[in-house]
């Protein structure tokens, strides 16, 4: 764009351009600060688990935010109060596991699931999590025997390698799984039906659905699912509390990002692309394709927050703004408006 100036470092990467780690059961690919240097505070993973395939029981230091893009799966976790969580999630649902909370994911029929994971640490790697098999394999059998009150030979046939993603029989009924332990259920569930909730904002141009600590108390990472109609636009705005990690689900987008000091970059996005906008950098996202644009905005702050340029101009004296922009006050009164996350087409 002729208004572009300076290089902000690339604001775009794509899962379609990175190494895909396969096992005979499923696959995962990741975009981290190592291959996407601007992505300092969040890392992303795209994972596929066919029916029965399991992402091994594991935990990690950062928190995990996730969105199901296809199919369905069963997720499990337990918190530090020994309270259980087991749920089935489907396309459009999200989950959130706080840092250190151990969990698993398994594909359900008929075709398993695919999902996006976002971690609140750009350095995180899906290849370096704490795996239950890894711990068993590196703990003396006598210690395991003492811990569980069973003979050491119990562990003779435990797999000697990490499983990570492996095939297992598909799970039985959710009710049976929930009844196995008599422990209480976690007070704040780790799953949330993001796509099924009523939009927080809706206009002729599109909609925004938000899941943050106000309606999804388990989370410390806010997020939004944004839909923009062809020709519509996510308005000029910025986020005062956090960087923004984006995932483009469908459609074609053009984002302009303003970094101050005269620097501005414009970037095109297609499905499977990841975008990144540092905290308080001004930006807009246009739907420049023929189909509905759908993308995710994910943040490291518990609360969702954005500042609207139009709303700013509406809430300070119009004469003051007019003096800056050399626009008639009468024209400005028509331009400045209430916050409109997706402007009408
Ligand atoms: Mn995990
Ligand atoms: Mn934004």
């Amino acid at each position: 764009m002729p208004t572009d100036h300076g290089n902000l470092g690339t604001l775009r990467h794509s899962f379609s351009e990175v190494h895909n780690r396969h096992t005979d059961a499923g696959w995962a690919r990741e975009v981290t600060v190592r291959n996407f240097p601007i992505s300092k505070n969040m890392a992303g993973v795209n994972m596929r688990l066919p029916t029965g395939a399991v992402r091994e029981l594991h935990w990690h230091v950062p928190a995990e935010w996730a969105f199901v893009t296809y199919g369905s799966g069963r997720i499990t976790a337990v918190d530090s109060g020994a309270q259980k969580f087991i749920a089935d999630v489907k396309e459009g649902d999200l989950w959130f596991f706080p840092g250190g909370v151990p969990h698993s994911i398994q594909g359900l029929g008929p075709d398993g699931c695919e999902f996006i994971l976002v971690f609140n640490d750009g350095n995180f790697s899906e290849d370096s999590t704490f795996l239950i098999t890894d711990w068993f394999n590196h703990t003396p059998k006598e210690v395991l025997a003492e811990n569980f009150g069973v003979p050491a030979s119990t562990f003779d046939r435990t797999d000697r390698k990490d499983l990570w993603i492996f095939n297992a029989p598909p799970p039985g009924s959710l009710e049976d799984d929930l009844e196995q332990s008599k422990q209480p259920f976690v007070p704040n569930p780790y799953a949330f039906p993001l796509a099924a909730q009523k939009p927080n904002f809706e206009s002729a141009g599109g909609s925004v659905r938000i899941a943050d600590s106000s309606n999804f108390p388990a989370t410390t990472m806010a997020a939004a699912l944004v839909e923009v109609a062809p020709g519509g636009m996510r308005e000029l705005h910025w986020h005062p509390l956090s960087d923004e990690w984006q995932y483009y689900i469908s459609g074609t987008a053009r984002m302009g990002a303003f970094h101050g000091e005269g620097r501005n970059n414009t970037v095109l996005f297609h499905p499977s692309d990841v975008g990144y906008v540092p905290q308080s950098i001004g930006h807009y996202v246009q739907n420049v394709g023929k189909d509905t644009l759908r993308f995710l905005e994910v943040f490291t702050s518990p609360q969702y927050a954005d500042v609207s340029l139009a709303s700013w101009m509406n809430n300070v004296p119009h004469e003051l703004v007019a003096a800056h922009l050399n626009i008639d006050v009468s024209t400005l009164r028509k331009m400045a408006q209430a916050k409109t996350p997706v402007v009408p087409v």
Side-chain angles (χ1 to χ4, degrees), residues 24-104:
D24 60 2
W27 53 256
R29 46 193 183 175
E30 65 184 7
V31 171
T32 74
V33 74
R34 284 173 290 283
N35 53 13
F36 189 30
I38 199 164
S39 177
K40 287 189 172 58
N41 293 319
M42 281 171 274
V45 169
N46 175 204
M47 188 176 289
R48 172 83 170 101
L49 299 174
T51 306
V54 177
R55 171 60 174 94
E56 175 174 354
L57 286 159
H58 71 285
W59 73 100
H60 33 72
V61 175
E64 172 177 316
W65 184 97
F67 182 80
V68 183
T69 55
Y70 169 77
S72 60
R74 180 162 303 170
I75 54 177
T76 75
V78 67
D79 71 8
S80 59
Q83 301 174 109
K84 68 186 169 190
F85 173 79
I86 309 175
D88 289 349
V89 288
K90 62 180 189 308
E91 182 175 331
D93 292 346
L94 69 81
W95 72 74
F96 176 82
F97 294 130
V101 163
H103 52 278
S104 68

Side-chain angles (χ1 to χ4, degrees), residues 68-251:
V68 183
T69 55
Y70 169 77
S72 60
R74 180 162 303 170
I75 54 177
T76 75
V78 67
D79 71 8
S80 59
Q83 301 174 109
K84 68 186 169 190
F85 173 79
I86 309 175
D88 289 349
V89 288
K90 62 180 189 308
E91 182 175 331
D93 292 346
L94 69 81
W95 72 74
F96 176 82
F97 294 130
V101 163
H103 52 278
S104 68
I105 312 152
Q106 185 170 21
L108 293 174
D111 191 30
C113 54
E114 186 173 331
F115 46 90
I116 297 297
L117 304 171
V118 187
F119 302 92
N120 58 2
D121 175 2
N123 257 307
F124 178 78
S125 173
E126 173 62 25
D127 298 335
S128 54
T129 62
F130 303 115
L131 303 173
I132 191 170
T133 53
D134 197 16
W135 202 9
F136 268 70
N137 291 336
H138 293 93
T139 303
K141 284 182 191 170
E142 297 68 31
V143 172
L144 295 171
E146 183 178 349
N147 191 71
F148 296 106
V150 295
S153 60
T154 305
F155 308 103
D156 286 350
R157 292 189 303 135
T158 300
D159 216 319
R160 302 312 297 169
K161 62 174 184 16
D162 301 343
L163 293 172
W164 187 53
I165 292 176
F166 67 104
N167 285 306
S173 80
L174 180 62
E175 291 68 30
D176 288 351
D177 280 1
L178 282 166
E179 274 172 23
Q180 175 198 279
S181 158
K182 300 306 170 202
Q183 290 295 108
F185 202 76
V186 291
N188 296 315
Y190 294 134
F192 184 86
L194 179 61
Q197 80 163 327
K198 193 174 168 300
N200 300 70
F201 170 84
E202 202 164 15
S203 75
S207 63
V208 180
R209 289 173 169 83
I210 295 166
D212 72 359
S213 55
S214 66
N215 58 348
F216 179 38
T219 200
T220 61
M221 293 173 71
L225 172 63
V226 181
E227 288 190 4
V228 184
M233 181 171 81
R234 175 83 174 86
E235 70 169 339
L236 289 153
H237 69 282
W238 66 91
H239 303 279
L241 302 181
S242 165
D243 293 358
E244 173 179 344
W245 188 96
Q246 302 170 334
Y247 176 71
Y248 288 86
I249 301 168
S250 64

Side-chain angles (χ1 to χ4, degrees), residues 5-16:
H5 180 72
N7 184 5
L8 311 175
T10 180
L11 305 175
R12 176 200 161 275
H13 204 343
S14 183
F15 285 118
S16 62

Side-chain angles (χ1 to χ4, degrees), residues 322-345:
H324 286 73
L325 301 178
N326 198 22
I327 295 171
D328 292 341
V329 169
S330 60
T331 305
L332 188 80
R333 288 200 209 289
K334 290 177 204 145
M335 289 166 52
Q337 52 197 285
K339 190 168 170 174
T340 311
V342 185
V343 295
V345 179

